[in-house]
Amino acid sequence: MFISVLDLFKVGVGPSSSHTMGPMVAANDFMTHVKKFLDSNPASEMHHIRCTLKNSLAYTGVGHATDKAVTLGLNGYLPNTIIKENMDEVIERTWNSKNIVINNTQKVAFFSEDDIIFDTRNSLKQNPNGMVFELLDKTDSILISHTYFSIGGGFISTLAEIDNVEAPIAAEPSSAYPFPFDNSDQMLEMSKKHDKTIWEMKLANEIENIPEKILNKELDTIWDAMKTCVESGLATEGILPGGLNTKRRAKKLHESLESDPENTNSSDWLCAYAMAVNEENAAGHMVVTAPTNGAAGVVPATLYYFYKHKSATQEQIRQFLLTASAIGGLIKHNSSISGAEVGCQGEVGSASSMAAAALCTVRGGTTAQIENAAEMALEHHIGMTCDPVKGLVQVPCIERNGFGAVKAYTASSLSLRESGEHLISLDQCIAAMKRTGLDMSTKYKETSLGGLAVSFIEC
């Protein structure tokens, strides 16, 4: 298994990697099939497009802006291109349009209000984040149909691919790389055998595909985007969209900390930084999947703390990102990072594990201590549900990222004071997280049918 750091960390838009970015990518891909079909089968009549969202996407699609993401994708936008546009202006224009231009002579009909179906009754068995795109003629006969699954972190899979996907994404075989570790036991063994750190092994694997100079430039771009997310969130006030009237809190919290630095601690700063990122995410602004949008604040907050308060060097920042991605890749490969599959333990829990390992690395930890830090952080998120109020990535998601960052820092600190020996391995913890997710009721897996989502309505 090889999952690149550049795949795990992707610059995109909020509020959700699985419910916003994935559907946008899927819709964009479907349009390539539509254009190919119409090139081969020119039509005198106007065909139309229909999108049916299934299960979790249907239940929380409005709150996660899935419908808007589908509309943007069908109109040619992708998560990394829409951030360069005036988002509100583009959404308004595409949402209210009745058709999509294919070329100079052909259009297809598509009206978001009518042609996006939220189907909560007929789920697809392969994955809870399924969507079906269809091109239909004027009699509603299906001309082409493609089914996609948004499998976490902005990744998508087709119906043909899903059964061959290694939890939860298709990845290159690890045998082609110098350090082919598929689990933490192999990682520890290779580190000891070759006297290499985790980030050094990850770097060696990465530069099989990309020159180190270019990789470093890309890592710096990821860090710049993360830093921008934190600082934009710390500078912005107001009410977040969606109808909950959730107030942005990070700016005032940060100002309070700056005015009284003698009475602050690491937890205070970490919460401010993480909440800043996830307020940006909730607003639909630029974030970096780390490994998802719902958990996008944990890794940037932990890294920003080390950068701001411990004077991190550029080289340490790159080491941090490489280590975090190595741990995230193991979790992705052996379990899931999707809240719709395993609950929030797979999102914030994974992010906290990644951040704990990375922070332990740049603080001088051994490989054993790093693995221990990753395990501790994940262990203390086991069983965490995904129950967003009103289907919005706001409550409890924004605060939860702060707590995830605090747990990452705590796990890093505790592991550095011990030898790295511990009872439960990271592999065992990842397996436990996966089993817990499989046992978890769908009410608690990003459907807003249980937990806090229901309690809020009852109040």
Side-chain angles (χ1 to χ4, degrees), residues 167 334-336 342 345 429-439:
N334 294 299
S335 181
S336 174
V342 295
Q345 58 175 352
C429 191
I430 292 171
M433 189 257 276
K434 183 177 182 179
R435 287 194 300 271
T436 303
L438 292 173
D439 291 340

Side-chain angles (χ1 to χ4, degrees), residues 361-414:
T361 295
V362 295
R363 294 173 73 187
T366 65
T367 303
Q369 289 171 323
I370 294 164
E371 186 265 354
N372 189 14
E375 186 280 328
M376 277 192 283
L378 183 60
E379 177 184 328
H380 295 290
H381 287 87
I382 295 293
M384 184 173 283
T385 59
C386 182
D387 50 352
V389 174
K390 208 175 177 182
L392 299 167
V393 192
Q394 296 178 19
V395 179
C397 319
I398 294 170
E399 277 184 4
R400 186 168 285 175
N401 275 258
F403 280 79
V406 170
K407 287 182 181 180
Y409 186 90
T410 303
S412 168
S413 296
L414 185 56

Side-chain angles (χ1 to χ4, degrees), residues 8 16-18 152-154 287-297 337-339 346-348 351:
L8 200 72
S16 171
S17 52
S18 61
V287 291
V288 178
T289 60
T292 66
N293 284 27
I337 59 166
S338 169
E347 295 203 36
V348 171

